[in-house]
């Protein structure tokens, strides 16, 4: 039992509360302190018996969330009160009506948006997705719901070390899947970076610590470099009487990791490890001209990379971000990213959505993009009657995109996500135009609806009254708006096909002198191996199922009997086969322990990531195939852990006897005579590994090969990779799934 010093804790709680009031002071109006104090007292009383997993008093959490709202997002009193009370309804006897009575309808509606939906969910649906949809319903009325939720999530991620491993994986993946992209979309870049870094810290600790260590090791060299790099720029800015601040900051751990992964390079080869930010104290009317003047000063001293100029001053990003970015070559041969912006732009970049309200009157342009996006989300919520997971996929698709700027024939600017097609543009103009789109003219050239748009394209849409949306269109578009409208149209079409199918079936059964009832329909559905009666009607209505084939329904029962007999025989064979295998392997073959009690349970290894003993793994309860084992680094892990956390179970390997598991290696190097021979010698002689296949491709002296082989564990595989990388001419050995 942990010994608690009640007096010390009381002092610490007060200290944190006073810090919150100190930080909030600039935004408080008369009477606000009183409301905040009342909320703090209610929260403290409600949570007084509760402790966090770390053993700390629970009240630390709402206090920290409120502090993040003030300090890092720049929110005001209503948000502080809502943050202090955000868990009260969920964890205690307090009801939403009590909150409304004591603190008013605004605070109540924010807390309602933050309170999770409780109750039983259908198998295959996702509680996380439903909760997220509920929260977004409130977002379209009050963006503070999402901002407080982000603060809540940031505090949970900062204190994740006290959680059990499987919970860490679930929470971190959910954060990466949804909350980091959401922070990005709302312009909260520093929160987004911290969430990504914390995700990496808990899902791939080794890589995270390795990058952090390397960043720290190069710190003094980096600081010296930054100092000499900015010196001439600083002198010139002073000479030209600019008011400015220059900051040098390393890239986030996660962005370095992404670059290493994407480009397949080690830490040492990531060229832009840091960025220089020049912040100018300029008036609103002069800030653009000042930024361009500073750009010309920077490029007088250092050569810019023409492909790396990003001008978000003339046209800001749709989340309101404004800044001028360029990458220049330093005198020591290193590329350096330089960001130039005004104090106003910097505050919007750091504080995101909340800072827009401060500048809203002086610069409506900067909030327009975000307001458009929020109305898009509102539209998506209104039109979406599919599953919550489907909604989440659509919503996520709209978060992380860069933008393309395109024009209508009359010269109106439309901002669309990167990767948008002519069909997306058509739906952006109007639903009717989208539904009837047969092609487009891009810069006067005829293109298909799937044509991807580029910055500066001028687009004219061609339509036909005979055109109808099809299922394939969903793969052609990227915007949520287009997807939602296409799904609406398909749903309408499906409804009428279902009605047609029902009529056809009734006629057919009448001809066959059979009764039309739910039992007959259910047997037919099973006979045609379809999941629902509507699916059967739909196929019948569309002519995919020939109405004549319903006649064979009469022999249905015999077919069923034959099928069931065959299945029984198969099961019998399989069980004998399993016994045979077990007797050959012996009782003590390799084991995977699964679940809270770490039992030995039947499982399947997932094909998407081929886990082998020693890999960090988790179990996933599938609908039809029992428990599947995935690596935590599996490409599908993020989605499974985020959307279906309730179906994730703990799993870990025991020390095992040696059994062979299939793994894949990719090798890259410079070609020479005898290289293949040396590689196969290492594999077969040194480690007694069985090779299943090897494919090699050599082009202009560069050698690339993939090898599939059987190994016993990750240690075994690491040993083999180490030995292979020592073969002369081989530059890189990596594992693939």
């Amino acid at each position: 039992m942990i010994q608690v010093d009640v007096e010390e804790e009381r002092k610490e709680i007060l200290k944190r509360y006073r810090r919150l009031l100190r930080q909030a002071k600039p935004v408080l109006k008369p009477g606000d302190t009183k409301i905040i104090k009342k909320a703090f007292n209610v929260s403290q009383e409600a949570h007084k018996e509760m402790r966090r997993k770390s053993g700390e008093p629970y009240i630390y959490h709402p206090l920290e969330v409120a502090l993040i709202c003030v300090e890092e997002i720049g929110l005001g009193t209503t948000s502080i009160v809502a943050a202090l009370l955000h868990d009260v309804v969920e964890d205690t006897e307090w009801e939403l009506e009590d909150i409304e009575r004591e603190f008013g309808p605004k605070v109540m509606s924010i807390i309602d948006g933050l309170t999770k939906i409780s109750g039983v969910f259908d198998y295959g649906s996702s509680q996380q997705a439903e909760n997220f949809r509920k929260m977004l319903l409130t977002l379209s009325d009050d963006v503070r719901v999402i901002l407080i939720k982000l603060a809540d999530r940031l505090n949970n991620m900062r204190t994740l070390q006290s959680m059990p491993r499987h919970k860490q994986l679930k929470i971190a993946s959910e954060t990466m899947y949804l909350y980091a992209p959401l922070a990005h979309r709302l312009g909260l870049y520093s929160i987004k970076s911290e969430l990504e870094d914390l995700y990496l810290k808990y899902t791939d600790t080794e890589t995270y610590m390795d990058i952090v260590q390397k960043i720290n090791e190069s710190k003094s060299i980096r600081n010296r470099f930054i100092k000499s790099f900015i010196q001439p720029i600083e002198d010139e800015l002073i000479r030209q009487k600019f008011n400015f601040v220059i900051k040098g900051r390393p890239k986030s751990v996660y962005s370095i990791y992404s670059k290493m992964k994407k480009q397949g390079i080690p830490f040492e080869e990531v060229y832009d490890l840091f960025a220089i930010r020049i912040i100018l104290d300029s008036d609103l009317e002069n800030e653009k001209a000042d930024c361009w003047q500073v750009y010309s000063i920077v490029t007088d001293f250092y050569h810019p990379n023409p492909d790396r100029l990003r001008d978000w001053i003339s046209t800001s990003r749709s989340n309101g971000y404004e800044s001028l970015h360029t990458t220049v070559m330093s005198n020591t041969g290193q590329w350096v990213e330089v960001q130039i912006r005004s104090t106003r732009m910097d505050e919007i970049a750091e504080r995101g959505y909340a800072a827009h309200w401060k500048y809203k009157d002086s610069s409506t342009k900067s909030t327009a993009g975000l307001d458009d996006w929020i109305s898009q989300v509102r539209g998506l919520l209104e039109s979406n009657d599919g599953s919550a997971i489907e909604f989440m996929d659509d919503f996520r698709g709209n978060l992380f995109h860069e933008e393309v700027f395109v024009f209508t024939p009359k010269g109106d600017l439309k901002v669309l996500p990167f990767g948008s097609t002519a069909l997306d543009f058509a739906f952006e103009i109007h639903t009717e135009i989208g539904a009837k789109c047969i092609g487009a003219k891009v810069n006067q050239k005829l293109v298909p609806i799937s044509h991807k748009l580029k910055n500066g394209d001028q687009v004219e849409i061609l339509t036909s009254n005979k055109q109808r949306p099809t299922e394939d269109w969903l793969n052609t578009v990227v915007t949520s708006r287009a997807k939602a409208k296409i799904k609406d149209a398909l749903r309408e079409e499906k409804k009428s096909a279902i009605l047609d199918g029902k009529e056809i079936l009734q006629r057919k059964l009448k001809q066959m002198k059979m009764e039309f009832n739910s039992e007959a329909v259910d047997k037919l559905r099973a006979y045609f191996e379809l999941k629902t009666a509507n699916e059967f009607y739909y196929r019948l209505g569309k002519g995919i199922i020939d109405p004549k084939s319903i006649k064979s329904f009469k022999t249905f029962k015999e077919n069923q009997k034959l099928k069931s007999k065959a299945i029984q025989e198969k099961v019998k064979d399989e069980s004998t086969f399993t016994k045979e295998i077990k007797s050959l392997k012996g009782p003590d073959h390799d084991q995977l322990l699964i679940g809270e009690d770490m039992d030995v349970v039947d499982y399947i290894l997932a094909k998407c990531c081929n886990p082998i003993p020693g890999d960090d793994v988790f179990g996933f309860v599938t609908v039809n195939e029992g428990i599947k084992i995935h690596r935590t680094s599996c490409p599908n892990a993020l989605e499974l852990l985020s959307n279906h956390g309730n179906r994730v179970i703990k799993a870990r390997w025991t020390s095992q006897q040696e059994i062979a598991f299939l793994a894949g290696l990719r090798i890259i190097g410079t070609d020479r005579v005898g290289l293949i021979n040396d590689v196969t010698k290492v594999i077969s002689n040194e480690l007694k590994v069985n090779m299943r296949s090897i494919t090699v491709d050599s082009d202009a002296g560069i050698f690339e090969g993939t090898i599939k082989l059987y190994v016993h564990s990750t240690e075994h595989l690491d040993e083999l990779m180490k030995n292979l990388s020592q073969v002369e001419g081989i530059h890189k050995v990596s594992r693939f799934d």
Side-chain angles (χ1 to χ4, degrees):
M1 190 71 181
I2 308 166
Q3 283 299 308
V4 176
D5 186 333
V6 181
E7 190 49 37
E8 274 306 305
E9 270 186 2
R10 200 181 64 79
K11 281 182 188 164
E12 179 60 30
I13 292 168
L14 275 174
K15 187 174 142 195
R16 292 182 185 217
Y17 170 63
R18 287 191 187 118
R19 184 182 166 199
L20 171 67
L21 286 180
R22 243 191 344 270
Q23 291 296 330
K25 202 175 177 184
V27 296
L28 296 183
K29 296 184 195 73
D32 282 358
T33 315
K34 208 170 156 191
I35 304 164
I36 293 171
K37 186 176 184 183
K38 184 178 174 185
F40 167 67
N41 288 335
V42 167
S43 184
Q44 194 177 13
E45 181 58 29
H47 297 303
K48 67 175 181 219
E49 302 301 328
M50 295 167 69
R51 294 199 166 262
R52 301 199 79 185
K53 280 273 193 292
S54 58
E56 292 179 336
Y58 195 88
I59 187 69
Y60 284 6
H61 172 63
L63 277 169
E64 287 302 315
V65 174
L67 190 63
I68 293 169
C69 287
V70 176
E71 216 171 12
E72 299 178 52
I73 307 178
L75 294 170
T77 306
T78 309
S79 302
I80 296 171
V81 170
L84 287 170
L85 299 168
H86 77 275
D87 279 334
V88 166
V89 173
E90 209 167 295
D91 298 343
T92 72
E93 298 299 310
W94 273 67
E95 299 287 338
L96 284 168
E97 292 73 33
D98 305 327
I99 300 277
E100 185 172 21
R101 190 180 61 248
E102 297 293 329
F103 298 97
K106 206 73 192 146
V107 172
M108 186 273 289
S109 108
I110 293 174
I111 289 173
D112 184 28
L114 291 165
T115 304
K116 295 190 195 82
I117 303 168
S118 57
V120 180
F121 286 83
D122 295 343
Y123 201 61
S125 82
S126 157
Q127 186 163 353
Q128 286 95 316
E130 294 290 357
N131 282 323
F132 196 74
R133 175 146 68 176
K134 178 190 176 195
M135 189 170 68
L136 282 170
L137 280 164
T138 334
L139 156 88
S140 47
D141 299 323
D142 195 330
V143 75
R144 287 175 292 194
V145 174
I146 295 283
L147 297 173
I148 297 166
K149 184 67 195 175
L150 282 169
D152 177 39
R153 182 49 62 126
L154 181 58
N155 183 246
N156 285 336
M157 288 295 285
R158 284 173 178 171
T159 53
L160 206 55
Q161 71 275 9
S162 49
M163 289 298 234
R165 172 80 181 135
H166 67 294
K167 279 272 178 61
Q168 287 179 347
L169 276 178
K170 175 185 149 341
I171 294 168
S173 299
E174 197 180 288
T175 301
M176 191 62 189
Y177 188 72
L178 268 175
Y179 293 102
L182 196 53
H184 172 92
R185 194 64 190 70
L186 292 170
L188 296 160
Y189 290 105
S190 50
I191 289 181
K192 170 219 162 192
S193 295
E194 190 177 345
L195 289 174
E196 287 175 338
D197 284 0
L198 288 165
Y199 160 76
L200 188 62
K201 181 179 176 179
Y202 289 106
T203 52
D204 190 348
T205 314
E206 203 178 313
T207 307
Y208 174 83
M209 297 316 282
D210 188 42
I211 295 173
V212 168
Q213 188 189 343
K214 283 176 174 162
I215 289 175
N216 290 339
E217 280 168 5
S218 59
K219 194 172 182 178
S220 56
I221 302 166
R222 192 171 60 244
N223 289 346
R224 274 203 305 278
F225 173 81
I226 289 173
K227 207 173 170 186
S228 69
F229 178 88
I230 62 178
Q231 194 62 58
I233 300 170
E234 218 164 18
D235 295 345
E236 186 57 29
L237 291 174
I238 291 167
R239 202 181 66 73
Q240 296 201 21
K241 296 190 169 51
F242 276 104
N243 272 339
F244 67 94
V245 178
I246 297 187
K247 298 175 182 172
R249 53 172 196 92
K251 281 247 162 78
S252 73
V253 179
Y254 184 80
S255 64
I256 293 171
Y257 163 78
S258 298
K259 206 153 246 186
M260 286 162 61
K261 208 169 166 190
K262 207 161 147 190
Q263 297 175 5
I265 52 175
F267 177 88
E268 291 67 29
E269 287 174 35
V270 178
Y271 68 76
D272 50 352
L273 280 170
F274 48 86
I276 305 289
R277 187 175 295 161
I278 304 172
I279 302 161
L280 307 170
D281 195 3
S282 289
D283 304 336
L284 191 62
E285 54 273 19
N286 298 327
E287 57 179 16
K288 261 194 210 177
D290 287 351
C291 288
W292 282 111
Q293 200 177 333
V294 171
Y295 170 77
S296 85
I297 291 171
V298 171
T299 52
D300 281 347
F301 291 107
Y302 303 108
H303 286 297
N305 178 339
D307 298 333
R308 303 279 298 159
L309 175 65
R310 300 283 178 270
D311 170 13
W312 286 305
I313 294 181
S314 310
T315 321
S316 67
R317 278 172 154 175
S318 62
N319 60 12
Y321 180 83
E322 293 172 82
S323 191
L324 192 56
H325 292 197
T326 180
T327 303
V328 297
M329 177 61 79
S330 70
N331 300 335
T332 54
Q334 266 174 294
W335 287 109
V336 179
E337 187 184 333
V338 181
Q339 303 171 354
I340 304 161
R341 54 175 78 150
S342 69
T343 318
R344 178 190 68 82
M345 294 171 188
D346 189 56
E347 190 170 351
I348 285 175
E350 289 300 310
R351 291 273 180 85
Y353 204 98
H356 286 292
W357 303 109
K358 181 172 168 182
Y359 296 105
K360 187 152 188 174
D361 302 332
S362 59
S363 167
T364 33
K365 167 175 86 83
S366 69
T367 56
L370 268 172
D371 293 339
D372 285 352
W373 177 71
I374 284 181
S375 45
Q376 267 179 30
V377 171
R378 193 178 289 127
L380 187 62
L381 284 157
E382 282 161 6
S383 68
N384 193 288
D385 52 3
S387 75
I389 291 179
E390 196 178 291
F391 164 76
M392 290 253 292
D393 287 344
D394 283 356
F395 178 76
R396 257 190 103 241
N398 235 24
L399 283 178
F400 240 159
H401 284 300
E402 296 297 328
E403 286 112 13
V404 284
F405 300 98
V406 287
F407 297 91
T408 66
K410 288 184 178 169
D412 295 335
L413 174 69
K414 296 280 175 193
V415 183
L416 293 168
F418 182 77
S420 289
T421 59
L423 191 55
D424 282 301
F425 181 85
F427 276 103
E428 187 63 27
I429 304 288
H430 196 280
T431 307
E432 281 297 302
I433 291 174
K436 292 177 179 175
C437 174
I438 51 167
K441 278 184 177 176
V442 173
N443 308 329
Q444 307 303 316
K445 268 193 192 155
L446 208 57
V447 298
I449 57 173
S450 57
H451 176 83
K452 285 194 176 163
L453 302 174
K454 293 198 282 294
N455 270 332
D457 279 347
Q458 193 163 20
V459 189
E460 182 188 344
I461 297 297
L462 308 172
T463 60
S464 157
N465 286 332
K466 291 185 179 146
Q467 180 69 299
R468 292 277 175 281
T470 66
E471 204 74 51
D472 295 345
W473 281 22
L474 290 170
N475 303 323
T476 303
V477 294
V478 299
T479 58
S480 310
R481 180 194 170 96
K483 280 186 178 166
K485 298 298 178 194
I486 293 166
K487 281 176 189 167
D488 283 350
L490 292 172
R491 247 180 241 121
E492 281 308 308
E493 195 189 331
K494 195 165 186 176
K495 270 181 201 163
S496 68
I498 287 170
L499 290 172
D500 293 348
K502 208 169 188 175
E503 277 177 30
I504 292 168
L505 182 65
Q506 282 170 330
R507 279 203 311 273
K508 209 74 196 156
L509 289 179
K510 201 174 179 184
Q511 284 168 16
M512 291 159 61
K513 297 191 170 47
M514 289 181 72
E515 207 176 322
F516 173 78
N517 57 25
S518 59
E519 193 187 345
V521 173
D522 201 47
K523 285 184 175 174
L524 269 163
R525 174 198 62 74
Y527 178 57
F528 285 101
E529 295 179 341
L530 295 168
K531 284 182 181 167
T532 63
N534 275 350
E535 194 59 39
F536 171 62
Y537 292 142
Y538 172 71
R539 290 181 178 223
L540 202 56
K542 292 292 278 183
I544 302 165
I545 292 176
D546 185 354
K548 287 176 190 167
S549 63
I550 293 173
K551 282 190 175 173
S552 55
F553 180 45
K554 286 195 168 179
T555 57
F556 186 61
K557 282 175 185 167
E558 288 98 86
N559 283 344
Q560 283 296 86
K561 278 177 192 167
L562 288 171
K563 263 189 192 175
S564 94
K565 198 176 174 190
I567 287 168
Q568 280 166 359
E569 290 297 322
K570 193 176 171 194
V571 168
K572 208 163 141 192
D573 287 357
E574 273 181 9
S575 56
T576 351
F577 177 69
T578 318
K579 278 179 197 157
E580 194 70 27
I581 289 289
K582 281 185 180 166
S583 69
L584 286 172
K585 276 186 176 177
D588 192 28
H589 67 281
D590 169 70
Q591 288 181 337
L592 185 70
L593 301 182
I594 293 173
E596 290 300 321
D597 307 324
M598 286 285 135
D599 292 333
V600 179
V601 184
D602 274 350
Y603 60 86
I604 304 169
L605 295 176
K607 294 267 195 312
C608 46
C609 55
N610 287 326
I612 63 176
D615 280 341
D616 204 353
V617 289
F618 64 91
F620 184 75
V621 184
T622 63
V623 179
N624 299 321
E625 299 175 278
I627 295 171
K628 270 195 175 176
I629 303 299
H630 292 262
R631 277 161 57 190
T632 51
S633 59
C634 167
N636 298 319
L638 196 61
E639 201 261 337
L640 295 176
L641 290 160
S642 309
N643 277 338
H644 308 281
N646 51 330
R647 284 157 60 185
V648 170
I649 48 177
K650 280 196 279 196
R652 66 178 169 79
W653 300 99
T654 59
S655 53
Q656 65 287 327
Q657 285 190 340
E658 299 210 329
I659 296 177
F661 286 82
L662 187 65
L665 290 182
R666 186 171 283 114
I667 49 179
I668 296 172
T670 44
D671 205 2
R672 63 173 172 79
V673 177
L675 181 64
I676 299 271
N677 190 23
D678 291 352
V679 166
T680 49
K681 210 183 281 177
V682 168
I683 294 170
S684 50
N685 296 3
E686 290 188 31
L687 277 142
K688 308 282 182 289
V689 174
N690 282 326
M691 196 158 42
R692 190 170 101 173
S693 68
I694 179 164
T695 53
V696 174
D697 195 14
S698 179
D699 181 23
I702 299 295
F703 161 96
E704 264 195 58
T706 56
I707 306 167
K708 289 182 184 170
L709 34 75
Y710 290 97
V711 293
H712 306 304
S713 65
T714 35
E715 284 85 5
H716 190 189
L717 188 62
D718 291 343
E719 180 69 16
L720 174 60
M721 287 167 74
K722 193 173 102 190
N723 292 349
L724 279 173
S725 58
Q726 286 163 3
V727 171
E728 187 200 333
I730 287 186
H731 289 256
K732 191 178 173 196
V733 181
S734 56
R735 176 178 172 185
F736 69 89
D737 299 332

